[in-house]
Amino acid sequence: MMLQIQRSFDREKGVWNITPKGDVDISTASMLRSALDEAYRENKADIILHFDDLNYMDSTGLGVIIGAYGRMKENGNNITLKNPRDNIRKLLRITNLDRLLCPELCE
């Protein structure tokens, strides 16, 4: 499935809202990387990734998010994933990244 990405900056809250729709895998991960990098270059702020419409993500997509997370942490910013589907939650749990990227799932 194709990947579509919507992004908007919430000036009131000072955060990026980025919504990927479709699948993030080896063929589409570069699109997600570009969206994250461009947004962060434009406004160095926290990013919320809304996963409501993300059907699938493999380890390549996870690597993109971890790479962006590392670069952002250097400036004190954060990435948070919201509403990941069960299959993505499983990937996050297996890698122990759920605590880092989706703290509300661990509460």
Side-chain angles (χ1 to χ4, degrees), residues 1-5 20-33 51 54-65 88 91:
M1 178 178 220
M2 285 260 324
L3 178 66
Q4 298 175 346
I5 300 174
K21 296 179 180 184
D23 298 342
V24 176
D25 57 24
I26 194 162
S27 65
T28 59
S30 61
M31 291 174 63
L32 180 61
R33 181 182 296 110
F51 275 10
L54 188 67
N55 299 320
Y56 174 80
M57 182 171 67
D58 68 7
S59 60
T60 312
L62 194 55
V64 166
I65 293 170
I88 297 170
L91 176 64

Side-chain angles (χ1 to χ4, degrees), residues 61-77:
L62 194 55
V64 166
I65 293 170
I66 294 304
Y69 177 86
R71 291 187 296 277
M72 291 172 62
K73 273 306 206 189
E74 293 173 2
N75 294 315
N77 294 112

Side-chain angles (χ1 to χ4, degrees), residues 33-46:
R33 181 182 296 110
S34 293
L36 294 173
D37 289 349
E38 288 170 16
Y40 197 66
R41 272 196 305 273
E42 192 175 318
N43 281 309
K44 290 197 176 355
D46 289 351

Side-chain angles (χ1 to χ4, degrees), residues 8-10 16-17 24 29-30 42 45-46 48-49 52 60 63 69-70 76 78 84 93 95 100 104:
S8 64
F9 187 71
D10 184 333
W16 280 103
N17 289 292
V24 176
S30 61
E42 192 175 318
D46 289 351
I48 299 172
L49 282 171
D52 306 75
T60 312
Y69 177 86
N78 204 7
R93 266 194 307 273
T95 57
L100 186 67
E104 78 280 353

